[in-house]
Amino acid sequence: RLDGKFVELLQTVLCSSKCPEQIQVLCAAILKEMSPCNDLILSCDEIEDTKLLSLVASILLAQGNKGEVAAVGQRIVKVLERRLPEGQSAQHLLPVLSNVISLSPESLTEEQTSIVSKKMADWLRYASTQQGVARPSGGGGFFSSPRTRQPGRVTEVDGATSTDFFTVLSVGQYYTQDQWLNIQAFSMLRNWLLCYGGKGPKTTSSDDKSGSVMSLVSSAPTSSRLLPPKERLREKAFEYCQRLIEQSNRRPLKKDDGDLQKACLIEAVTIMDIICKQDSSYVYRTVSFLKTLHSRICGDTAYARALLPIAQFFLNHSKMAALDSDAIYRHLFTDIPAQLFHNLSLAFEFVQFCKDNSQLFTDTSSIFRQSFPNLFKFLAWNSPPLISEFVDLLPFLLDAGTAIEIFHLLLDLPCLTAALDIQLRSAALPTSERAASNPAVKPATSLEAFRHPLYKSMFQYLLRTKSAPEDAPERLIPLRQLLGSQASSPRVVLCADTVPVLLELFFRVVAEFADGPLINQLVVLLLQRSDQLYEIPAFKDDVYRVLSSQLVMLCRLHPALIVELSTEILEFSGAVSNIQNKEVIFTHVVWAIGEYLSVSYDKRCTVEQINRFFETLEAVLFEITQLRPLASTPSYAPRAISVLMATLTKLAARCQDLIPRVSMFLSKMRTFVKSPAVTSVYCEEDLEELLIRATELMNLLKMPSVAQFVFTPPVEVASTRFQREVYDSLPSALRIVTHLLEPTPGFMPG
């Protein structure tokens, strides 16, 4: 909210040739903070001084106006095109040009990009290899004499004198202007090539599969100044990247130089990949170069991040070059997640790499899907930061061959987190304490169990690096109990919170390809695993909620499973203990029985089967509603009682010999809900709702044909919108029947 006069003064001072540089920088900073600003009168058109031009340009770019961005880009290129006056340097302009590219790459013309490409090629390849001279500190006297010693050559990171051209990895005490331009040109090279490198007249798409290896060799670009600017820039950039990769093999004298080596190596490989995409003639010689590099660094975890762009290159180009790159992918997916799952930045880059290339991996290599147990270590240790990435990744890992194993793995994800923690703590122990535990002595802690022969194979299975569908997950039951001591660990709890999200996604994806046998297998496992979960109460409740809703979805996809899995479903629904421990799953299983145990959905459904289910559920309902005079009445969820009554009524409507038994039971519900033992346990609203539902069901059974239509509509009718609406509003339908059979005073049927 500075007034216009002050803004005008800021611009005047900024552009004054007599103003100190620090004051100019301060003025520019204030004007940028005000952006966008309507009172600007600045223009970069007539500015010759490169420092001032960079300050003014940065203010104009901050306005967010496409026209201003284009004008700045035009002016920067125009200044770069001609020879700069003494004392002026393009060093101040390249950061501005880099911003122009990011904000509006289309603002530069083909001619202008050619001009800059030519300049960049020279900056990359022909920077001086002599060190710069220290700037005089001012003052006079004996030591300011111009007769100073000539600066030496730049060195490599290991201290050896450089014998090749200058790169960002060359070391000097002081740098010359052209060396700074070299460094800046490399920093913007990747973005420049992505924006403008592929527009040359002779660029070949990397998707062209017609070229053979021999044609790739014979069409290698010629090193010559006669090449068009963009092709020449590709050539010099390629040479520069090769030089960086060679320099990265030297042992640095300083740690910071080692970090810079790794960063430059990653950037160099990435740029080479871009160059090969734009001109396939570079592919063949790059392949052999990167294979050698991979062999050198694959055993050093410090270079793990560099393996990602190498793998990216082979993913993009190995098919065209007819290469088998599985060994590179296998090492990447086997060793890196297992060893470095705890490195969050690497984990994010690795998972992002997998996500970006999911379709490519799915189409070209089976190693990706086989490695999912290893990939999930990243999520187990780094939840919830990686949850959104795994939401995108999971669909590509799932198929008919991996679905069952991934289902188990998702349910055991918190256990995997606990096991990874133990693995890290065990590795940190002194060597003397890592010996195997005594097999005859039961381990007192999970850390001791990690080295105990009895638990070793369990840990190995949980921490496996690739798919093992033939192994039985039941072996983890003792390990889950042992890991219970870590259930309250914040990392384990955070991981557990991600499981419901991924479980829901899992079932949505599986529903797209699952056939009857796979659905049956999942339902059986769903019921079994409900007893085999990591002991975190909130986690179990969330998982039960997801599994129960997905059970309904699976039944809808394959209604015949009620008949095909009758033994397993009867065993689960006949256990009264499941009502208290897994009420939400139990309720949905019972609902599914009433919904789909019908000849309308499966011709194999017989009266005998309906009777078996009826007798099992009748016994359960009797058990939980019988009155025990001298014992306390256990509290069961009213919803479970209501669903049991409704399901028994549905079965009776399909096998009318059962109607008297259900009607008699329903008539006794009034006695049940009025009993003092029951009213002391249940709230009045729940008991009233149970009594209303029992009355409605009993009244409906007085009209068997109506009951049969309501509860078991023909499949073709059930698919209509009207029937779905009626069926979804079953309580309303029951109340209508009740009013018909028991009219209120003053109510006359029409």
Side-chain angles (χ1 to χ4, degrees):
R1 292 178 292 181
L2 300 176
D3 63 48
K5 182 60 178 176
F6 186 70
V7 174
E8 182 183 338
L9 287 171
L10 284 173
Q11 296 175 80
T12 302
V13 172
L14 171 64
C15 297
S16 171
S17 59
K18 298 178 181 179
C19 180
E21 183 180 343
Q22 288 177 314
I23 300 299
Q24 287 180 313
V25 172
L26 180 58
C27 291
I30 295 171
L31 290 168
K32 278 196 289 186
E33 283 295 317
M34 295 176 60
S35 303
C37 177
N38 296 326
D39 297 327
L40 286 182
I41 55 173
L42 290 174
S43 171
C44 59
D45 290 344
E46 304 300 326
I47 300 176
E48 298 294 337
D49 182 85
T50 54
K51 284 185 181 179
L52 179 58
L53 179 56
S54 70
L55 290 174
V56 172
S58 67
I59 297 168
L60 296 174
L61 293 181
Q63 303 310 303
N65 183 293
K66 287 278 187 182
E68 293 283 14
V69 174
V72 169
Q74 307 291 322
R75 180 59 181 166
I76 296 295
V77 175
K78 190 173 182 180
V79 173
L80 289 174
E81 184 179 7
R82 61 174 182 259
R83 187 179 184 86
L84 294 174
E86 187 70 27
Q88 300 292 309
S89 172
Q91 178 184 340
H92 305 289
L93 302 181
L94 289 189
V96 180
L97 184 60
S98 182
N99 285 335
V100 169
I101 298 169
S102 299
L103 293 170
S104 181
E106 67 278 5
S107 61
L108 299 184
T109 66
E110 179 77 14
E111 182 181 356
Q112 289 170 329
T113 58
S114 295
I115 291 168
V116 179
S117 292
K118 184 176 182 299
K119 292 280 186 183
M120 288 182 67
D122 290 338
W123 292 331
L124 287 172
R125 185 62 181 86
Y126 300 112
S128 171
T129 55
Q130 295 294 122
Q131 294 194 43
V133 180
R135 292 183 179 180
S137 57
F142 179 78
F143 292 102
S144 63
S145 169
R147 298 180 62 186
T148 54
R149 191 171 59 178
Q150 272 298 105
R153 294 177 69 88
V154 293
T155 65
E156 305 289 354
V157 291
D158 61 356
T161 301
S162 178
T163 58
D164 210 330
F165 60 89
F166 181 91
T167 73
V168 69
L169 284 179
S170 299
V171 180
Q173 191 172 4
Y174 302 101
Y175 295 102
T176 62
Q177 288 295 321
D178 61 341
Q179 288 167 353
W180 281 117
L181 288 170
N182 177 285
I183 294 169
Q184 288 180 314
F186 176 68
S187 71
M188 62 184 288
L189 180 58
R190 186 208 310 201
N191 204 19
W192 183 268
L193 289 173
L194 286 172
C195 290
Y196 309 116
K199 297 181 181 179
K202 295 186 179 179
T203 298
T204 304
S205 169
S206 61
D207 293 331
D208 181 13
K209 307 299 188 296
S210 61
S212 65
V213 169
M214 290 306 294
S215 67
L216 296 180
V217 176
S218 62
S219 63
T222 305
S223 296
S224 170
R225 285 184 176 272
L226 299 177
L227 285 172
K230 292 180 182 179
E231 291 188 24
R232 184 166 176 269
L233 175 59
R234 280 199 294 265
E235 181 186 73
K236 299 308 176 188
F238 189 83
E239 293 173 4
Y240 193 99
C241 291
Q242 281 186 307
R243 168 90 169 111
L244 283 179
I245 292 172
E246 289 164 358
Q247 286 178 296
S248 70
N249 194 29
R250 295 175 178 268
R251 186 177 297 277
L253 298 177
K254 301 176 184 176
K255 182 183 183 300
D256 289 348
D257 288 341
D259 294 338
L260 180 62
Q261 273 183 315
K262 298 179 183 69
C264 289
L265 176 62
I266 292 168
E267 187 72 1
V269 175
T270 304
I271 291 172
M272 292 174 93
D273 182 33
I274 294 169
I275 292 170
C276 289
K277 283 182 178 179
Q278 295 172 350
D279 188 341
S280 59
S281 63
Y282 285 92
V283 170
Y284 184 69
R285 51 181 163 155
T286 308
V287 165
S288 57
F289 194 74
L290 292 188
K291 278 203 165 184
T292 303
L293 172 63
H294 183 270
S295 300
R296 175 168 66 82
I297 67 173
C298 66
D300 187 350
T301 55
Y303 282 91
R305 289 180 62 234
L307 297 176
L308 296 176
I310 294 175
Q312 183 71 67
F313 172 86
F314 283 100
L315 263 177
N316 292 338
H317 305 290
S318 59
K319 187 174 182 181
M320 186 184 69
L323 294 168
D324 182 7
S325 306
D326 276 0
I328 290 173
Y329 308 146
R330 188 173 293 108
H331 171 266
L332 182 71
F333 286 114
T334 301
D335 293 3
I336 304 306
Q339 297 173 18
L340 298 172
F341 60 86
H342 50 85
N343 185 323
L344 179 56
S345 60
L346 173 66
F348 179 79
E349 289 184 32
F350 198 106
V351 175
Q352 190 70 37
F353 164 79
C354 293
K355 190 178 86 168
D356 293 343
N357 295 283
S358 298
Q359 193 60 57
L360 261 177
F361 273 121
T362 304
D363 295 341
T364 60
S365 176
S366 62
I367 295 170
F368 175 58
R369 275 188 174 148
Q370 291 171 359
S371 304
F372 69 81
N374 229 12
L375 294 178
F376 272 96
K377 291 175 184 175
F378 285 128
L379 179 64
W381 192 258
N382 301 289
S383 302
L386 292 180
I387 181 64
S388 62
E389 280 70 32
F390 269 86
V391 166
D392 293 332
L393 195 58
L394 184 60
F396 292 96
L397 298 173
L398 276 167
D399 62 13
T402 62
I404 297 300
E405 196 176 352
I406 289 180
F407 176 67
H408 285 296
L409 189 149
L410 289 175
L411 294 178
D412 288 326
L413 207 58
C415 294
L416 177 57
T417 306
L420 291 170
D421 180 60
I422 294 169
Q423 182 185 36
L424 282 181
R425 286 193 283 137
S426 178
L429 289 174
T431 307
S432 58
E433 297 181 31
R434 294 188 203 171
S437 303
N438 186 346
V441 179
K442 186 176 181 180
T445 65
S446 53
L447 193 57
E448 290 180 11
F450 189 73
R451 302 183 303 277
H452 196 281
L454 181 63
Y455 291 93
K456 187 175 181 181
S457 64
M458 301 178 199
F459 275 106
Q460 287 175 339
Y461 176 72
L462 191 55
L463 296 170
R464 66 196 184 278
T465 59
K466 61 181 181 179
S467 173
E470 67 282 354
D471 288 344
E474 291 79 14
R475 66 162 71 181
L476 295 181
I477 294 175
L479 189 57
R480 289 189 202 101
Q481 298 169 350
L482 182 75
L483 295 174
S485 60
Q486 292 181 266
S488 59
S489 161
R491 193 179 293 277
V492 172
V493 172
L494 284 172
C495 176
D497 290 342
T498 68
V499 172
V501 176
L502 292 173
L503 265 182
E504 289 184 340
L505 174 62
F506 168 87
F507 282 106
R508 284 203 304 273
V509 176
V510 167
E512 296 175 4
F513 62 78
D515 57 8
L518 178 56
I519 291 175
N520 284 358
Q521 197 174 359
L522 280 171
V523 170
V524 171
L525 292 175
L526 185 154
L527 299 178
Q528 290 176 352
R529 285 303 308 264
S530 63
D531 282 326
Q532 302 169 19
L533 294 176
Y534 198 30
E535 284 297 330
I536 304 176
F539 166 70
K540 292 178 72 172
D541 290 343
D542 287 341
V543 170
Y544 287 162
R545 173 183 54 79
V546 174
L547 293 183
S548 59
S549 64
Q550 299 308 314
L551 172 69
V552 173
M553 181 273 295
L554 294 175
C555 290
R556 190 179 299 118
L557 285 176
H558 185 54
L561 70 84
I562 301 295
V563 171
E564 294 169 354
L565 302 178
S566 58
T567 302
E568 292 85 353
I569 294 175
L570 278 168
E571 182 180 352
F572 182 87
S573 58
V576 176
S577 60
N578 286 335
I579 305 179
Q580 285 185 315
N581 299 334
K582 294 168 284 191
E583 181 267 330
V584 65
I585 297 181
F586 176 87
T587 302
H588 282 76
V589 169
V590 172
W591 177 88
I593 293 170
E595 181 75 2
Y596 297 110
L597 186 64
S598 166
V599 70
S600 300
Y601 289 103
D602 192 338
K603 301 297 183 186
R604 295 169 295 177
C605 178
T606 63
V607 173
E608 290 75 14
Q609 283 179 321
I610 292 176
N611 272 284
R612 282 175 59 209
F613 277 94
F614 181 91
E615 289 170 358
T616 298
L617 299 182
E618 183 186 43
V620 171
L621 186 56
F622 178 77
E623 172 70 19
I624 65 176
T625 58
Q626 67 173 319
L627 300 175
R628 301 174 177 84
L630 300 179
S632 60
T633 304
S635 175
Y636 295 97
R639 183 173 64 165
I641 297 174
S642 180
V643 172
L644 277 165
M645 291 191 302
T647 295
L648 288 172
T649 305
K650 292 178 185 179
L651 297 182
R654 295 165 199 158
C655 183
Q656 297 187 3
D657 290 346
L658 301 173
I659 289 179
R661 289 166 64 176
V662 181
S663 298
M664 182 179 295
F665 189 93
L666 294 174
S667 66
K668 293 180 180 179
M669 285 303 293
R670 181 174 297 276
T671 305
F672 172 76
V673 300
K674 298 296 184 183
S675 167
V678 173
T679 55
S680 65
V681 175
Y682 295 93
C683 70
E684 185 177 347
E685 291 79 7
D686 288 340
L687 292 176
E688 183 179 359
E689 189 64 35
L690 284 175
L691 184 58
I692 290 172
R693 177 52 58 91
T695 303
E696 291 169 345
L697 292 170
M698 188 166 56
N699 286 336
L700 191 58
L701 287 177
K702 291 177 182 177
M703 298 184 292
S705 58
V706 175
Q708 187 172 16
F709 177 79
V710 171
F711 287 130
T712 316
V715 173
E716 62 274 10
V717 176
S719 64
T720 67
R721 178 179 176 184
F722 169 77
Q723 183 59 44
R724 284 200 305 272
E725 289 175 349
V726 171
Y727 200 65
D728 291 341
S729 306
L730 185 57
S732 300
L734 293 176
R735 290 187 177 94
I736 291 172
V737 174
T738 299
H739 283 304
L740 288 173
L741 293 174
E742 297 180 1
T744 56
F747 175 80
M748 295 296 293

